[in-house]
Amino acid sequence: MATLTELGLAEAKRRIASREISAVELTQAHLDAMERAQHLNAFITETPDLALEMAEAADARLAKGEAGLLEGLPIAIKDLFCTEGVATTAGSHILSGFVPPYESTVTRNLWAQGAVSLGKTNLDEFAMGSSNMTSYHGPVRNPWTRPEDNAALVPGGSSGGSAAAVAARIALAATGTDTGGSIRQPAAFCGITGIKPTYGRCSRFGIVAFASSLDQAGAFGRNVADTALLLQAMAGYDPKDSTSADLPVPDWTGSLSGKVKGLRIGIPAEYRVEGMPEAIEKLWQQGADWLKAEGAEIVEINLPHTKYALPTYYIIAPAEASSNLARYDGMRYGLRVEGENLAETYMRTRAAGFGAEVKRRIMIGTYVLSAGYYDAYYLKAQKVRRRIVDDFEQAFQKVDAILTPTAPSAAFRVGEKMDDPVAMYLNDVFTVPSSLAGLPGISVPAGLSAEGLPLGLQVIGKAWDEQTVLDAGLALERAAGFRIAPYGLG
Amino acid sequence: MSLDKATVRKISELARIDVPDADLEPLARELSAILGWIEQLGEVDTDDVAPIRSVMPITHPWRDDVVDDGDQQAAITKNAPSAHDGYFVVPKVVE
């Protein structure tokens, strides 16, 4: 059965459609893999019974000749998407015991297309983190280890459990969310593909909110075609999210060609950051050469405000978070710790329910929004954000897509960087600017670090132009030929 | 910007997060380090720059003002730490 977990999403779809394999067989193979990989801590809630029930229903529909886009395909869901009747924690103690009475639009879309739910994956608490170490449910282990030792490495974050599950062949694909890099960075760390579409492409309804002007759902897969297929089933207009775009979802899968001939690909000078490992610098150059060999034109560009993106993000995201997380007051759902009076109950509940990083961000957000500091911090950040958006707009006058490394390092050890929040924030230096501009971005595994760990390349596209992002991603995938399974899989 | 203990206490009260006295000092240091790093934004010339609130020019749609969902009292109170007769039970607010 082991080979069934080696199939990609699109390949499994073909075999299911031809009735070569059943949805139940395919699901059972993944549940067995899940059982063997408990040490990764990739899931917060596993739903094997629900998975088999959904797989049986999919087989019944297939027998009748009815099949959705993802009929019978087992996938994993980041535990930030509300799922009706299945516990949803956002990786936080404050949501302990919470069982949503409603379904997020993205997961509803997936089930409507016949997908099978394996369970809810681990994540940084409220998606605030780049290592999956801030989860109340413990860190996730990257299925990759350095060849020379067996030390536990982080899968990246915040969607670390989803990335680990896909890399470890527990799930064919998985959903994630990306606020400042939470899909692309873990995809790079785990040697898989991850796409964040344009802000507004997927509905945010039923996704636990972190920073509403940045949060966007996206997809993980082990190749570009799989990632495109999952995203296609997730995306679409939703009247329940007033920021979701009323645009048709293009047939990304059908149009996927990997052709980059004639495309102008920008290389931003400002992304050459100090202290970047040589392997990443070389891989970036290699990526440009690969695209050039396929007929793309490489163009040097400037994104002058790049270095200000992270500090801008660390005003805007905590400000929005402090407001969004005000709802966790112990009254309507989740944890309540009783105090002497109402105010004390609030304070004790939130002190016990939130972890250190979430508290830090709520307090930073509260401070930058407080009377006397709003203009100096929040308004200033909104103005610098405009500068960053303008940088991209000017660059896209000259180019069709932008190529960068996904992250400034490969996966690091579990426990590293925890004593220095700013050092941790720097992980997202290449992903945050495009998040602030709402642009689509993909990370494709393209090579190995000096220590033998996967490295990703990122393609950033124009708003609503996921197709070019996917095609350039596919061109990189073909050229890189990255087909290594994690060493840690044994 | 360096925050003192009194300011951190005030922020914690605004944020409704109880912070033990012993944690004020280390928290002040952490938050000050983050704010100090953020202050580099002062270098950016933002005169005559309009702040951006929504990154996509999405126009908010209008819809008819009609009820299209409802009667969800049981579902809404199901997760409450304390509920009674279709209401949330909260600590006494008015003395």
Side-chain angles (χ1 to χ4, degrees):
Chain A
M1 290 294 262
T3 53
L4 286 184
T5 59
E6 285 299 323
L7 301 177
L9 189 71
E11 177 57 25
K13 178 181 157 79
R14 272 190 288 278
R15 295 204 195 178
I16 283 213
S18 66
R19 312 298 309 278
E20 204 179 310
I21 53 173
S22 73
V24 168
E25 262 179 284
L26 184 66
T27 300
Q28 189 59 55
H30 285 88
L31 291 174
D32 293 345
M34 182 192 264
E35 199 52 48
R36 286 193 300 271
Q38 292 294 315
H39 66 290
L40 296 179
N41 198 29
F43 286 81
I44 291 173
T45 305
E46 297 176 345
T47 57
D49 295 343
L50 177 65
L52 288 171
E53 199 181 294
M54 291 174 97
E56 277 168 26
D59 279 332
R61 283 191 295 270
L62 284 155
K64 283 192 280 180
E66 301 163 7
L69 206 53
L70 300 175
E71 199 65 56
L73 301 173
I75 60 170
I77 303 296
K78 185 180 187 180
D79 202 20
L80 202 63
F81 292 83
C82 284
T83 41
E84 190 175 349
V86 176
T88 298
T89 71
S92 182
H93 185 35
I94 211 156
L95 276 172
S96 286
F98 176 62
V99 179
Y102 67 107
E103 190 76 29
S104 82
T105 297
V106 162
T107 47
R108 184 184 297 280
N109 290 347
L110 293 173
W111 314 144
Q113 293 296 336
V116 169
S117 173
L118 293 165
K120 307 293 292 291
T121 58
N122 207 339
L123 69 158
D124 279 298
E125 186 178 4
F126 284 105
M128 296 180 194
S130 310
S131 66
N132 217 121
M133 282 188 287
T134 73
S135 170
Y136 176 71
H137 302 273
V140 172
R141 216 188 140 146
N142 193 324
W144 287 81
T145 53
R146 292 171 187 143
E148 82 258 19
D149 64 23
N150 201 32
L153 302 176
V154 302
S158 65
S159 316
S162 284
V166 173
R169 278 68 176 162
I170 302 170
L172 288 171
T175 67
T177 63
D178 192 313
T179 303
S182 283
I183 290 173
R184 291 160 288 164
Q185 184 252 20
F189 276 20
C190 291
I192 60 168
T193 303
I195 186 166
K196 176 196 96 78
T198 313
Y199 180 82
R201 191 57 102 173
C202 293
S203 169
R204 290 184 296 108
F205 178 78
I207 299 175
V208 175
F210 161 18
S212 305
S213 79
L214 296 156
D215 296 344
Q216 183 57 209
F220 291 101
R222 286 192 296 268
N223 58 56
V224 173
D226 289 3
T227 311
L229 178 60
L230 181 61
L231 184 64
Q232 189 140 359
M234 294 167 66
Y237 173 62
D238 177 14
K240 287 179 177 157
D241 172 6
S242 62
T243 62
S244 105
D246 193 359
L247 294 171
V249 178
D251 180 11
W252 295 310
T253 305
S255 307
L256 191 63
S257 69
K259 287 205 180 104
V260 294
K261 195 171 165 57
L263 284 185
R264 294 160 303 168
I265 305 290
I267 305 288
E270 292 78 8
Y271 281 55
R272 288 200 181 87
V273 297
E274 218 176 294
M276 187 156 73
E278 204 190 328
I280 295 179
E281 185 90 47
K282 273 193 179 157
L283 185 67
W284 189 15
Q285 181 57 49
Q286 177 70 70
D289 293 344
W290 282 331
L291 295 177
K292 199 173 169 185
E294 291 300 311
E297 183 193 341
I298 304 299
V299 182
E300 291 282 330
I301 57 165
N302 285 100
L303 298 167
H305 296 87
T306 297
K307 71 173 275 213
Y308 302 109
L310 272 175
T312 300
Y313 177 86
Y314 278 97
I315 293 175
I316 289 173
E320 293 184 14
S322 73
S323 176
N324 273 327
L325 272 60
R327 73 189 69 179
Y328 302 102
D329 58 5
M331 298 299 129
R332 290 156 298 163
Y333 38 74
L335 186 74
R336 179 190 289 186
V337 181
E338 302 285 350
E340 291 294 310
N341 51 45
L342 182 67
E344 214 177 282
T345 302
Y346 287 156
M347 298 204 44
R348 287 192 186 171
T349 297
R350 290 162 65 81
F354 293 136
E357 179 62 19
V358 172
K359 286 179 190 168
R360 256 196 303 264
R361 295 204 198 182
I362 289 175
M363 292 180 73
I364 289 282
T366 302
Y367 182 70
V368 301
L369 290 176
S370 64
Y373 298 99
Y374 182 93
D375 285 5
Y377 289 106
Y378 189 61
L379 199 65
K380 179 77 184 180
Q382 287 186 318
K383 289 178 175 180
V384 181
R385 185 177 184 181
R386 168 85 64 187
R387 288 273 195 215
I388 291 161
V389 171
D390 289 348
D391 280 358
F392 279 107
E393 269 174 19
Q394 277 162 26
F396 282 123
Q397 307 277 324
K398 287 187 270 183
V399 297
D400 302 296
I402 296 169
L403 178 72
T404 80
T406 306
S409 76
F412 46 89
R413 278 179 191 237
V414 170
E416 256 177 61
K417 305 189 195 215
M418 287 304 277
D419 50 352
D420 184 354
V422 174
M424 185 67 89
Y425 299 168
L426 292 175
N427 263 290
D428 297 326
V429 61
F430 299 140
T431 47
V432 152
S434 48
S435 289
L436 286 168
L439 302 172
I442 197 168
S443 176
V444 175
L448 294 175
S449 71
E451 313 146 294
L453 295 174
L455 295 172
L457 286 174
Q458 175 181 230
V459 180
I460 302 164
K462 294 176 186 169
W464 315 116
D465 190 14
E466 286 84 0
Q467 192 69 58
T468 298
V469 168
L470 289 162
D471 280 324
L474 181 56
L476 291 170
E477 175 182 291
R478 285 175 179 161
F482 189 94
R483 285 188 199 86
I484 315 166
Y487 313 120
L489 277 188
Chain B
M1 171 61 70
S2 182
L3 300 181
D4 56 19
K5 277 164 63 174
T7 310
V8 175
R9 169 64 69 217
K10 178 155 180 280
I11 300 170
S12 82
E13 280 163 7
L14 286 172
R16 295 282 189 270
I17 298 173
D18 193 28
V19 176
D21 284 336
D23 291 354
L24 287 174
E25 187 78 53
L27 198 52
R29 267 201 310 276
E30 281 172 16
L31 299 182
S32 297
I34 296 170
L35 289 169
W37 170 71
I38 281 171
E39 259 156 34
Q40 57 179 297
L41 292 187
E43 298 164 14
V44 186
D45 175 10
T46 51
D47 293 349
D48 309 317
V49 177
I52 196 163
R53 289 189 180 84
S54 174
V55 76
M56 290 299 153
I58 293 166
T59 48
H60 296 295
W62 291 83
R63 64 166 173 80
D64 293 333
D65 188 14
V66 291
V67 176
D68 59 4
D69 198 356
D71 199 20
Q72 300 282 349
Q73 198 177 31
I76 288 166
T77 53
K78 207 180 84 183
N79 279 289
S82 180
H84 181 69
D85 206 15
Y87 291 91
F88 294 111
V89 178
V90 303
K92 196 160 85 174
V93 182
V94 182
E95 290 299 324

